[in-house]
């Protein structure tokens, strides 16, 4: 995956036409992004997960500013879900950080909407759709070609499902039915270890799935 899991989730949650977060993801995007960051830090062996509890084992930066900021705030001891709640309140503006990072990479660009000459609001336009298209292609391959998802795409698919935005990728009603079935099975279909599978399953009731 060329982008972080959090960046990938954010791109899917961003309405391409409106340049704003999809209505369905307004309440879930921040905890979803935080969860994605924590789980990517696990894949990078910066933290350990044991029974849903986090242990920080490596504080050296990853080179990704958003991941590094989350890593600095993580604590050894509190549960995965408790830390999502705690960090969601500390990183309320994480969407702005994602906008800035993705704009810096030339993937998004900020545009001002105006009425005559009066600025009304900012919107984020997709300046290089190839990144999002690759993410969508991989997600669709998991559903329609029975592709075995990598741990990163297992996390991403599961979080997209948790955040109630599967229909952004699978807009056809019949396709969505197939995708929702895969969403229920994707954790078991992949090679994620028991610790990662445990916390991914914890996220389902956390997000109200």
């Amino acid at each position: 995956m060329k982008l972080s899991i959090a960046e990938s989730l954010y791109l899917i949650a961003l309405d391409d036409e409106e340049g704003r977060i999809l209505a369905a993801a307004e309440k879930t995007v921040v905890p979803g992004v935080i969860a994605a960051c924590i789980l990517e830090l696990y894949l990078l062996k910066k933290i350990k997960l044991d029974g849903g509890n986090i242990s920080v084992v490596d504080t050296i930066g990853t080179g990704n500013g958003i991941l590094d900021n989350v890593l600095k705030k993580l604590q050894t001891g509190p549960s995965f879900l408790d830390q999502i709640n705690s960090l969601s309140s500390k990183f309320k503006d994480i969407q702005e950080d994602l906008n800035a990072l993705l704009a810096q990479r030339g993937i998004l660009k900020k545009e001002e909407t105006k009425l005559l000459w009066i600025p009304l609001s900012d919107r984020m336009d997709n300046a290089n759709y190839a990144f999002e298209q690759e993410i969508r292609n991989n997600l669709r391959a998991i559903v329609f070609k029975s592709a075995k998802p990598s741990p990163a795409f297992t996390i991403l698919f599961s979080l997209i499902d948790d955040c109630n935005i599967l229909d952004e990728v699978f807009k056809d009603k019949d396709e969505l039915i197939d995708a929702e079935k895969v969403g229920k099975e994707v954790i078991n279909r992949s090679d994620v270890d028991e610790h990662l599978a445990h916390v991914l399953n914890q996220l389902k009731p956390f997000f109200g799935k």
Side-chain angles (χ1 to χ4, degrees):
M1 189 180 290
K2 296 177 181 178
L3 300 177
S4 72
I5 302 169
E7 292 159 7
S8 301
L9 176 65
Y10 184 70
L11 281 180
I12 297 298
L14 195 65
D15 188 315
D16 293 328
E17 293 182 4
E18 297 293 330
R20 299 176 182 84
I21 293 299
L22 294 162
E26 285 179 353
K27 294 181 179 179
T28 59
V29 66
V30 172
V33 163
I34 296 294
C37 289
I38 295 173
L39 295 176
E40 184 141 5
L41 290 169
Y42 175 72
L43 295 183
L44 294 171
K45 302 187 185 305
K46 299 295 181 181
I47 65 170
K48 288 184 178 179
L49 295 168
D50 186 8
N53 292 324
I54 290 175
S55 298
V56 179
V57 295
D58 182 1
T59 57
I60 296 174
T62 66
N64 181 300
I66 293 172
L67 285 176
D68 291 345
N69 287 337
V70 171
L71 178 59
K72 289 174 186 175
K73 296 292 185 181
L74 284 176
Q75 299 177 328
T76 293
S79 74
F80 174 65
L81 297 182
D82 284 345
Q83 298 209 53
I84 291 175
N85 277 324
S86 173
L87 295 184
S88 293
S89 63
K90 293 176 181 177
F91 288 101
K92 291 179 180 178
D93 297 326
I94 200 166
Q95 294 179 54
E96 293 302 317
D97 295 334
L98 284 161
N99 286 339
L101 180 59
L102 291 166
Q104 184 181 10
R105 294 184 183 181
I107 298 168
L108 293 179
K109 63 178 179 180
K110 182 178 285 189
E111 289 196 351
E112 223 175 42
T113 56
K114 296 181 179 181
L115 180 61
L116 299 178
W117 62 89
I118 303 172
L120 294 179
S121 62
D122 289 333
R123 52 169 287 146
M124 299 305 297
D125 284 340
N126 210 318
N128 187 344
Y129 195 73
F131 286 88
E132 184 172 343
Q133 188 62 60
E134 184 177 355
I135 295 165
R136 288 173 177 267
N137 289 344
N138 279 286
L139 294 170
R140 293 180 67 83
I142 293 168
V143 174
F144 301 119
K145 296 182 180 179
S146 298
K148 192 169 189 177
S150 66
F153 266 98
T154 301
I155 294 167
L156 179 60
F157 198 109
S158 189
L159 285 173
I160 289 172
D161 186 24
D162 293 342
C163 293
N164 298 310
I165 51 174
L166 264 184
D167 60 351
E168 174 61 17
V169 181
F170 304 94
K171 297 188 177 184
D172 178 84
K173 187 177 292 185
D174 291 334
E175 288 188 351
L176 179 60
I177 291 171
D178 290 338
E180 288 174 339
K181 289 178 181 176
V182 171
K184 294 176 182 178
E185 304 166 355
V186 69
I187 298 169
N188 295 327
R189 276 178 49 179
S190 70
D191 286 331
V192 298
D193 63 43
E194 61 180 316
H195 302 295
L196 183 51
H198 178 72
V199 294
L200 285 174
N201 282 316
Q202 280 188 319
L203 285 173
K204 298 297 181 186
F206 178 82
F207 281 104
K209 289 296 291 183

